[in-house]
Amino acid sequence: MGAQESKWQYFLFSFLSILASTSYATAVPNEVLFDVCQTNDQPNPIASLYPLNATGTLNGTVTVLPISLALARKLIPSQYRILEHAYRHLLPSFPEGMYPAILEALHDHDVQAFGYQIPDFSRAGIEFPFLDLLGDNTTSFKWAPSLLMTANNEIALNGAMEYGTNTFPATFQPSCDAYSAIPDAKQPGSTYFSANSSDVGAACVSTIFAPTLEEIFPLSFFKNVTNQPTFADGKTCDNMIRIFNTSVTTAPNTIETVKGTVKAKIYPFTSEQEWSDVYGLRMDTAFIENNYLPCENFRGYGS
Ligand SMILES: *[C@@H]1O[C@H](CO)[C@@H](O)[C@H](O)[C@H]1NC(C)=O
Ligand SMILES: *[C@@H]1O[C@H](CO)[C@@H](O)[C@H](O)[C@H]1NC(C)=O
Ligand SMILES: *[C@@H]1O[C@H](CO)[C@@H](O)[C@H](O)[C@H]1NC(C)=O
Ligand SMILES: *[C@@H]1O[C@H](CO)[C@@H](O)[C@H](O)[C@H]1NC(C)=O
Ligand SMILES: *[C@@H]1O[C@H](CO)[C@@H](O)[C@H](O)[C@H]1NC(C)=O
Ligand SMILES: *[C@@H]1O[C@H](CO)[C@@H](O)[C@H](O)[C@H]1NC(C)=O
């Protein structure tokens, strides 16, 4: 049996055991057992196309956080070269001496495989794309060392921990959507997102964004970084394939360029950081996820 198949059985097993343990308490009213949390996310449009793969939707904001190359070099483990030529190829006018770290703050919705569905969850983490994991000076990998994730979603938390990710069980606002409108905001369309680790003070991310007409980074850049094979401890890689041509993404006005503020305290940063006037995309995409693969499989990926 392949490693990937056995991991999926582990996922299914933990899912089924959660179902089994909750059904013991049938005398307790449903509202006590399950958070009544109605998401605004559209259903997974590709589950029936790929019934044997893990699919779902990711709604949320992907933001470019410019940091100095010197800081990036300090934060990223020294064995991974930064492929500056790769991001300059996509972003020729990115400021000299700077590196694009990426914040993904997302709601994972309607995740299915083999006809099973896992409960929705939220997550947020700062990622480091364009890293030379294989030492070929060509293939771009993304280091995702830590994640705040919905507390109690054991399947999602275990799934991330298997990669060696520093996972922080957390509470999110809003709790079952990717972002929410700020009432009476000065700028129309302003939304917030906030996550705090259950271990108080260990990690947090909060954002405020509003739509902007400025287009600083092209869609092709976001497609590229969200599709790079991803690793944490480097022992296996996650192939998250984000698909930009399904109904959840192509309906009119569903990809919005936004500008705003990000505050975050999360490993590998050692103190709270704040970025103002940063740019991102607010969007929903379908995805197919192929888990726990040898990173070597991705030599030359994407080119
Ligand atoms: C994405 O999330 C926002 C906030 O909940 C929601 O308004 C929007 O409809 C969602 N998009 C899709 C395609 O589900
Ligand atoms: C679906 O899963 C199979 C088996 O793991 C894998 O070989 C295939 O590439 C996946 N399909 C896509 C579109 O990623
Ligand atoms: C990596 O490739 C880039 C672009 O081709 C080149 O400029 C650079 O010198 C190479 N670096 C190494 C260490 O080979
Ligand atoms: C996280 O903590 C901050 C500061 O105490 C608070 O303003 C925010 O509402 C909290 N967010 C969540 C999701 O609990
Ligand atoms: C949608 O995009 C995927 C790659 O992300 C591609 O394989 C597929 O052919 C595209 N489908 C359509 C209908 O364009
Ligand atoms: C991202 O862009 C780089 C530089 O052009 C390219 O080498 C890589 O294959 C792309 N990766 C993906 C997943 O599209």
Side-chain angles (χ1 to χ4, degrees):
M1 195 190 334
Q4 195 196 347
E5 274 168 274
S6 62
K7 288 277 168 44
W8 251 111
Q9 292 191 337
Y10 164 71
F11 266 50
L12 285 179
F13 176 76
S14 33
F15 179 49
L16 293 173
S17 49
I18 287 167
L19 282 182
S21 63
T22 53
S23 63
Y24 275 111
T26 45
V28 183
N30 269 350
E31 309 84 77
V32 179
L33 280 178
F34 301 104
D35 255 338
V36 184
C37 197
Q38 190 60 54
T39 183
N40 287 301
D41 288 338
Q42 299 292 315
N44 176 344
I46 60 168
S48 59
L49 279 176
Y50 301 98
L52 305 180
N53 291 82
T55 61
T57 64
L58 288 170
N59 194 350
T61 311
V62 182
T63 311
V64 178
L65 304 176
I67 61 174
S68 73
L69 258 171
L71 176 59
R73 192 59 285 167
K74 249 188 256 171
L75 298 173
I76 296 165
S78 59
Q79 67 266 39
Y80 307 124
R81 187 186 293 139
I82 297 172
L83 297 172
E84 186 176 352
H85 64 274
Y87 65 81
R88 297 221 168 267
H89 178 74
L90 301 171
L91 301 177
S93 52
F94 199 71
E96 202 55 37
M98 299 297 280
Y99 167 86
I102 301 291
L103 171 70
E104 293 211 59
L106 307 171
H107 188 242
D108 268 65
H109 174 63
D110 201 358
V111 180
Q112 302 189 27
F114 310 115
Y116 292 97
Q117 192 190 37
I118 69 163
D120 285 3
F121 59 97
S122 294
R123 59 178 160 123
I126 298 178
E127 309 174 333
F128 300 83
F130 304 103
L131 301 188
D132 187 1
L133 177 71
L134 298 177
D136 64 0
N137 195 29
T138 301
T139 315
S140 289
F141 287 83
K142 188 169 61 164
W143 183 49
S146 44
L147 273 180
L148 289 143
M149 285 183 116
T150 302
N152 305 326
N153 192 320
E154 290 174 43
I155 299 172
L157 286 162
N158 286 332
M161 274 186 278
E162 289 285 336
Y163 283 104
T165 312
N166 295 285
T167 41
F168 298 97
T171 53
F172 289 80
Q173 284 171 353
S175 54
C176 56
D177 274 312
Y179 47 86
S180 225
I182 299 174
D184 307 319
K186 264 184 286 171
Q187 270 181 285
S190 294
T191 55
Y192 71 93
F193 167 95
S194 155
N196 291 331
S197 57
S198 313
D199 176 5
V200 176
C204 59
V205 168
S206 64
T207 71
I208 292 179
F209 283 111
T212 173
L213 295 174
E214 298 168 78
E215 274 229 40
I216 305 290
F217 306 115
L219 178 60
S220 54
F221 176 77
F222 291 95
K223 285 185 180 171
N224 181 289
V225 293
T226 55
N227 278 289
Q228 290 182 17
T230 303
F231 68 99
D233 63 14
K235 292 189 181 124
T236 61
C237 274
D238 180 21
N239 178 214
M240 177 66 95
I241 304 167
R242 287 183 72 167
I243 302 169
F244 286 75
N245 59 9
T246 74
S247 55
V248 296
T249 315
T250 57
N253 310 317
T254 46
I255 300 188
E256 285 179 294
T257 304
V258 292
K259 179 179 180 179
T261 302
V262 170
K263 285 187 198 168
K265 178 184 169 196
I266 191 164
Y267 175 81
F269 294 94
T270 50
S271 59
E272 184 172 278
Q273 308 289 310
E274 180 168 342
W275 290 270
S276 322
D277 296 331
V278 284
Y279 294 85
L281 287 190
R282 200 147 76 182
M283 61 184 166
D284 194 18
T285 65
F287 70 83
I288 303 169
E289 185 174 24
N290 297 304
N291 274 293
Y292 315 118
L293 295 169
C295 298
E296 177 61 46
N297 287 12
F298 296 95
R299 193 175 284 274
Y301 189 78
S303 46

